[in-house]
Amino acid sequence: MDDNSGFGRIPSTTLAELLGRKQVMDAGIRPLWSPVPRIAGPAFTVRCPKGDNLMLHAAIYRAEPGSVIVVESGDLDYALAGGNVCAIAQRRGIAGFVADGLIRDLTEVRENAFPVFARGVIPVPGAKAAVEPLNGPVRCGGVTVHAGDIVVADEGGVVVTPGARGEEVLRDAEAKLAKEADETLDMWEAAHRSRVEKILAERGFTG
């Protein structure tokens, strides 16, 4: 996906190098089907208490097209969403889900090619009773996400760029990619080998 902000062109690996580990979700938040397209867009944040998915179901009707819905889940015992919820989100232009939880109906989700990054699947649906505020800070994959932060998710991982740093990070990422595009593998190898050998020598390695 190539979103209006330009982040759709930036791999998660490039952003991870610029932003550091604290802005990268843990490896448990992964694409649930493959090959999944890269998604990028502003976070629409949702908190779902244990056993309940009401607020995610409410969010699909409130998030703007192009948004990435980011969900903090209270457990891993119930599904946050299923095939129809994902299909409606897709029809409304939502870029995808990034959820610290589980979904169901993966076959339908995969057949519709709706991007979902989550911890896995379970066939048990959650209840719909607990009301929570939307677009508050959430924790997802070990990262604190605020509404409007820029989420990029692809097969390499999920990275969150703070909204206030969006322009700066995009500029640095594009410059980094442009530099890498001009570098041959031979050039990379020479620089890499020099760096590795320098570190080894500084640490007394003589092998």
Side-chain angles (χ1 to χ4, degrees):
M1 172 195 171
D2 189 2
D3 70 314
N4 292 334
S5 71
F7 274 86
R9 300 189 297 271
I10 311 299
S12 61
T13 48
T14 299
L15 293 170
E17 290 182 35
L18 293 172
L19 291 164
R21 178 66 185 87
K22 68 178 183 176
Q23 295 304 120
V24 180
M25 293 190 188
D26 70 58
I29 311 296
R30 63 191 188 280
L32 295 189
W33 54 270
S34 183
V36 69
R38 179 178 302 129
I39 62 172
F44 187 98
T45 57
V46 180
R47 180 178 291 107
C48 289
K50 184 175 181 180
D52 202 280
N53 61 27
L54 175 64
M55 297 317 296
L56 173 55
H57 290 229
I60 65 171
Y61 300 109
R62 289 161 174 80
E64 293 293 327
S67 299
V68 177
I69 293 184
V70 180
V71 190
E72 176 182 331
S73 177
D75 62 65
L76 297 177
D77 296 315
Y78 299 90
L80 292 165
N84 285 341
V85 168
C86 291
I88 292 168
Q90 185 177 39
R91 188 166 67 182
R92 298 198 70 254
I94 291 164
F97 291 167
V98 174
D100 202 330
L102 310 174
I103 70 157
R104 64 199 301 251
D105 304 328
L106 179 58
T107 299
E108 294 176 33
V109 175
R110 181 175 58 241
E111 288 176 351
N112 288 333
F114 182 67
V116 176
F117 296 75
R119 292 205 181 272
V121 296
I122 196 168
V124 186
K128 293 169 184 62
V131 172
E132 294 277 344
L134 291 170
N135 274 329
V138 299
R139 289 284 287 179
C140 186
V143 178
T144 298
V145 185
H146 297 84
D149 286 350
I150 302 156
V151 180
V152 172
D154 57 24
E155 291 185 324
V158 184
V159 185
V160 180
T161 299
R165 295 187 59 195
E167 290 185 11
E168 164 209 341
V169 171
L170 180 60
R171 182 175 60 249
D172 291 348
E174 289 177 333
K176 180 174 173 57
L177 289 174
K179 180 181 177 182
E180 291 171 354
D182 290 336
E183 184 179 53
T184 67
L185 183 59
D186 287 343
M187 293 165 63
W188 188 92
E189 180 185 10
H192 177 257
R193 183 168 186 175
S194 175
R195 178 170 174 249
V196 169
E197 295 302 330
K198 180 174 183 293
I199 294 170
L200 290 173
E202 288 172 349
R203 285 157 176 73
F205 181 76
T206 58

